[in-house]
Amino acid sequence: MSLPAHDRCTLPYIICLASIAGLILPGSFGDLVFAGGAAQYLLTAQEKSGKQIYVHGTSPGGRKISAYLGESSVEVPGRTMPCANCHGLDGRGKPEGGVVPSNLTWEALTKPYGVTHPEGRTHPPYTDRALELAITRGLDPAGNKLLNVMPHYQLSQEDLGDLVAYLKRLGKDHDPGLTENSITIGTTIPARADLAGIGQAIKAVTTAFFEEVNSRGGIYNRRIELKINATSDTPITTSAIVKRFIQNEQVFAMTSAFTAGADKELAALMDNLEVPMVGPLTLYPQGGYPLNRHVFYILSGVEGQARALVNFACQRMPVKRAAVLIVYSDDEMAKGVLEAITDQCRKSGCGPPEPYGYPNADSDVPGFAAKLKQTSKSVIFFLGTSREAIALMKEASELRWSPTFYLGAIAGNEIFGAPPSFAKKIFFSVPSSPDDHTRTEEFRDLATKHKLPAHHLGVQRSVYSAAKILIEGLKRAGKDLSREKLIQALEGLYEYPTGVTPAVTYGLNRRIGAMGAYVVTIDLEKKQFLPASGWIDSN
Amino acid sequence: MPIKVLVMLVALMSVPGSTAGSVTANTGAISSLRIPDTAVYDQNGKRLSFYADLIKGKTVAINFIFTTCTTICPPLTAMFRKLQQDLGERIGLEVRLISVSVDPANDTPERLHDFAAKFKAGPGWTFVTGNKAEIDALLQALGAAVGDKNDHTPMILVGNDVTGYWTRAYGLTPPATLVKVITEAANRE
């Protein structure tokens, strides 16, 4: 990897060598010595265990933690009332419903002159032992009862020791990948040789974008440090490699990782490691319920596009209940789309559709076409290749039958070979259109200045918008940054214009930024794609 | 600053013996309460009419929660869980527990379902959400409307539709005391 321009040394020679070594040397040695004081943020193993108890209310050793509430000793599992619920990840407390939880930062707990609480309760400073009593008996150092919303916890001595050890660091520890002057962002590129162009596009655009951010002072004086790794042969090995990468390189958040082929595994990994990931490159976003809080997709995948296509088709149908046929190739991937179409037909009031599997042998296609014609339905959602769609259209044409075809998979140029009787009868959807390119000059300037490659422009736009969304999230999360704050900031994005995609909205229950598609039709004579609709929401 | 002070004052007034640990229910009878028949969804996504399906002919205890509320709602819900256990067979037949979301815009039935499952809510305990404007009107009618959901009152509304007797209790009233309040409401002529 060549050194970005702003890293060229203007510092004395020795420091310069060190910083280059830090960039090149993999592993923790380089990080610890050169990454600008990262060590002060690292938690010990005991503090890490304590943090798990504080944040999740579960014991790293698998031991029981119970919470008892009020005089009546209502017992619930510790995980339903972890400390962080009320006292916050930073320990400063989250007031709600008239309850003002105490500040648990060590400085606040150990003020030499003691603490006087709003309700008049006063007590001397906390000690380790006093904290243990507060947690297990609900008493402050003066022996006063704590607020009755504060549960008493029953936990092993070891877990209690870990928790107290962490409380001394609370509010001062940072998520991995974050220092006073840097934020480490990771990405993953495809390892396969035939996808090398995509890898180059990811690397070039991300590097250029972050270089621009850094040249303007970074985010609250923190530089963005980019780390890159590559996928492996199988989803399982890819997941293992990315996990090692995130842990070894101390990655704070991921951007535009190439997850295609390992979508489920990598999304689960991010959830497990609690690492936010923005704009993974995939056609199959895992945006359904239960929600994966950590992965933010930009565009609708195949399923979301199919839903928009159904909304469009149902609106055009003169008789709403004129049911629909779905023809699908026997493909694992088609299954999700099939379900999405069925569900959306129900919501749009034009279902239920009848599914038909595409024949395995070409010789069976004529008979298959005849069978479909007999249903006297006039709308087909087709989930297969363009070649298969054309073969079916040709047989239908022989039978003087020309139903409207909605292609659920992406259409290639071969679709122009469709029979003339299907003119104006073929539609498909795309997740973004040139109409969305409202601020292309920003992207163009970046491309010119950093000599971005001329290929894979679609990928480049996606990578660019992911970087832009991530940076916006980091800005909104503020100087006192954490992964959780980044997630909350991203959830607050509403109709955010990336300039090269439809506007992006996230929310508590939403992880696909632009949920919908444009419908496109085909001019068979001029061999052109023509817009058939404006933006159709598939929310 | 004045707002904070006010919040604290309210907290002090509404928390019965927060330091002394008193167990009074601090209830107050309500002269008249009109319960609207708002169209709502339960935690299973089932459409219900609030009055006809949940209140009519029953004794109920209603609390107010939202799923992203982490300080006050888990204790409120844990209290309802204990109440459910203590009421035993009376739940569902004679007494019904209702948790109304004060954040219907975000609290989908799925979110409520997860929240309910976390606290092992059983039959006879319904979590309610719906269209924001309609739920807001419902909250208004029940005297539980707030501008900021984070300031929502930890209050339990206990009532008997047959006799029209309604009363309010502090949300963290010990379940044993609440059972008495509910029994009193159920038996009241």
Side-chain angles (χ1 to χ4, degrees):
Chain A
M1 194 176 134
S2 69
L3 216 61
H6 55 264
D7 273 341
R8 280 183 200 131
C9 296
T10 51
L11 301 167
Y13 181 66
I14 302 257
I15 301 174
C16 207
L17 268 186
S19 68
I20 293 169
L23 280 170
I24 296 165
L25 282 177
S28 56
F29 175 74
D31 289 344
L32 271 180
V33 180
F34 304 114
Q40 64 177 329
Y41 292 124
L42 298 179
L43 296 178
T44 65
Q46 188 188 23
E47 288 162 354
K48 262 188 198 161
S49 299
K51 185 173 185 177
Q52 182 182 326
I53 299 166
Y54 183 85
V55 176
H56 299 290
T58 56
S59 159
R63 289 174 291 264
K64 190 177 175 189
I65 300 181
S66 297
Y68 293 86
L69 197 61
E71 305 286 326
S72 51
S73 296
V74 175
E75 186 193 340
V76 290
R79 67 185 157 75
T80 59
M81 292 187 201
C83 317
N85 257 15
C86 301
H87 297 284
L89 290 172
D90 59 6
R92 292 191 170 85
K94 290 165 66 184
E96 256 169 25
V99 175
V100 186
S102 305
N103 184 338
L104 291 194
T105 55
W106 194 242
E107 293 73 26
L109 291 174
T110 58
K111 279 179 188 163
Y113 42 87
V115 179
T116 302
H117 290 272
E119 72 272 22
R121 182 168 56 91
T122 63
H123 59 76
Y126 271 94
T127 60
D128 286 21
R129 179 65 195 141
L131 257 182
E132 291 183 5
L133 284 176
I135 296 164
T136 56
R137 301 253 205 92
L139 299 173
D140 74 15
N144 298 315
K145 280 189 177 173
L146 298 173
L147 205 66
N148 63 355
V149 220
M150 165 73 187
H152 310 181
Y153 292 88
Q154 204 172 70
L155 69 176
S156 71
Q157 196 56 42
E158 195 181 341
D159 285 338
L160 187 56
D162 292 351
L163 178 57
V164 171
Y166 176 66
L167 288 174
K168 294 178 182 174
R169 292 292 298 274
L170 180 62
K172 292 187 290 289
D173 72 312
H174 285 239
D175 284 326
L178 195 62
T179 71
E180 273 305 313
N181 45 30
S182 69
I183 304 169
T184 304
I185 302 295
T187 190
T188 301
I189 59 174
R192 269 169 46 185
D194 55 338
L195 301 175
I198 294 181
Q200 282 165 15
I202 296 174
K203 208 163 152 177
V205 176
T206 314
T207 306
F209 197 95
F210 291 159
E211 239 182 85
E212 285 300 310
V213 172
N214 288 339
S215 71
R216 293 184 193 125
I219 308 291
Y220 302 106
N221 286 328
R222 288 188 177 110
R223 289 171 44 78
I224 305 288
E225 305 276 358
L226 178 66
K227 305 271 181 178
I228 301 171
N229 83 329
T231 58
S232 181
D233 306 333
T234 68
I236 293 170
T237 51
T238 294
S239 173
I241 283 182
V242 174
K243 181 176 181 179
R244 239 186 353 256
F245 164 72
I246 287 174
Q247 289 173 337
N248 290 348
E249 300 287 357
Q250 300 265 307
V251 171
F252 177 79
M254 296 283 287
T255 185
S256 344
F258 183 85
T259 63
D263 290 315
K264 278 194 187 127
E265 291 76 8
L266 289 179
L269 177 68
M270 296 304 131
D271 209 34
N272 186 258
L273 298 178
E274 299 180 336
V275 173
M277 177 190 253
V278 178
L281 294 174
T282 177
L283 292 174
Y284 295 93
Q286 311 285 306
Y289 200 83
L291 194 79
N292 181 334
R293 289 188 72 232
H294 294 91
V295 187
F296 292 79
Y297 299 92
I298 299 173
L299 299 176
S300 292
V302 175
E303 286 177 30
Q305 291 175 53
R307 283 179 187 272
L309 202 54
V310 172
N311 286 356
F312 176 81
C314 291
Q315 206 147 37
R316 289 178 89 237
M317 268 185 249
V319 185
K320 272 283 162 88
R321 298 207 57 83
V324 162
L325 301 176
I326 308 178
V327 174
Y328 61 96
S329 295
D330 191 15
D331 176 2
E332 230 352 77
M333 291 300 188
K335 231 168 71 184
V337 188
L338 198 73
E339 281 166 20
I341 292 178
T342 309
D343 180 56
Q344 200 66 27
C345 279
R346 184 179 54 77
K347 285 182 185 161
S348 299
C350 66
E354 295 170 31
Y356 287 86
Y358 192 85
N360 290 324
D362 285 350
S363 55
D364 293 338
V365 177
F368 181 63
K371 191 166 89 184
L372 293 185
K373 188 186 175 188
Q374 275 172 8
T375 64
S376 63
K377 302 289 187 318
S378 58
V379 170
I380 293 180
F381 280 93
F382 195 89
L383 311 177
T385 63
S386 298
R387 189 191 63 79
E388 289 166 338
I390 290 170
L392 182 58
M393 285 176 204
K394 284 188 173 151
E395 293 307 328
S397 174
E398 291 288 322
L399 299 168
R400 297 173 186 283
W401 180 51
S402 44
T404 309
F405 267 71
Y406 292 95
L407 306 178
I410 292 136
N413 283 340
E414 58 269 45
I415 199 69
F416 294 127
S421 56
F422 284 91
K424 296 181 184 167
K425 289 206 154 185
I426 302 171
F427 297 91
F428 63 98
S429 56
V430 291
S432 178
S433 95
D435 289 351
D436 301 324
H437 300 172
T438 50
R439 294 187 193 171
T440 43
E441 65 282 3
E442 276 178 33
F443 180 62
R444 235 187 0 251
D445 291 351
L446 190 77
T448 315
K449 185 170 169 191
H450 294 267
K451 302 192 174 60
L452 296 180
H455 56 79
H456 290 93
L457 288 177
V459 173
Q460 287 193 38
R461 273 194 285 269
S462 174
V463 174
Y464 170 84
S465 45
K468 197 164 169 174
I469 291 166
L470 175 64
I471 293 296
E472 181 66 20
L474 290 172
K475 281 182 193 163
R476 293 189 187 197
K479 165 102 174 117
D480 193 13
L481 182 63
S482 68
R483 286 170 173 164
E484 185 57 35
K485 283 187 182 160
L486 172 62
I487 288 173
Q488 287 172 11
L490 290 170
E491 280 178 343
L493 288 185
Y494 180 77
E495 297 275 320
Y496 175 70
T498 68
V500 294
T501 66
V504 164
T505 299
Y506 297 113
L508 265 182
N509 301 309
R510 176 164 172 176
R511 285 296 180 272
I512 297 178
M515 283 204 335
Y518 296 92
V519 176
V520 175
T521 186
I522 293 162
D523 185 330
L524 288 175
E525 267 180 35
K526 292 184 185 159
K527 298 198 186 314
Q528 278 180 346
F529 295 118
L530 299 172
S533 81
W535 176 254
I536 296 175
D537 214 289
S538 62
N539 198 351
Chain B
M1 192 59 186
I3 290 175
K4 202 167 178 185
V5 170
L6 188 66
V7 168
M8 285 168 186
L9 277 176
V10 170
L12 280 176
M13 288 189 300
S14 60
V15 177
S18 55
T19 49
S22 132
V23 291
T24 51
N26 201 20
T27 56
I30 303 161
S31 52
S32 73
L33 194 69
R34 287 178 67 87
I35 307 223
D37 204 18
T38 312
V40 297
Y41 289 96
D42 73 4
Q43 70 269 37
N44 299 312
K46 196 173 154 197
R47 212 176 161 87
L48 299 172
S49 297
F50 190 78
Y51 175 75
D53 292 326
L54 296 175
I55 309 285
K56 198 174 170 186
K58 290 269 191 299
T59 296
V60 297
I62 307 172
N63 73 2
F64 303 89
I65 51 112
F66 60 103
T67 62
T68 47
C69 149
T70 55
T71 297
I72 189 70
C73 299
L76 290 176
T77 315
M79 288 297 185
F80 254 40
R81 159 74 182 149
K82 182 75 165 81
L83 191 59
Q84 175 184 253
Q85 289 171 327
D86 290 355
L87 285 167
E89 287 178 355
R90 296 171 66 191
I91 278 281
L93 293 169
E94 177 196 353
V95 183
R96 199 184 275 282
L97 301 183
I98 304 168
S99 294
V100 181
S101 168
V102 295
D103 184 20
N106 287 312
D107 281 344
T108 57
E110 289 93 342
R111 285 189 86 96
L112 287 181
H113 185 269
D114 286 358
F115 191 79
K118 209 161 133 184
F119 290 92
K120 300 199 175 84
W125 181 359
T126 310
F127 287 73
V128 162
T129 187
N131 172 287
K132 180 163 169 29
E134 289 175 34
I135 294 287
D136 283 351
L138 175 66
L139 292 171
Q140 194 80 42
L142 298 177
V146 275
D148 179 355
K149 64 190 176 190
N150 290 317
D151 289 340
H152 86 281
T153 331
M155 178 262 280
I156 298 175
L157 199 57
V158 176
N160 177 346
D161 176 60
V162 180
T163 61
Y165 170 78
W166 287 90
T167 183
R168 291 194 181 96
Y170 172 57
L172 297 174
T173 304
T177 315
L178 263 185
V179 170
K180 282 184 204 151
V181 176
I182 290 170
T183 307
E184 198 192 323
N187 296 338
R188 210 174 170 103
E189 292 302 317

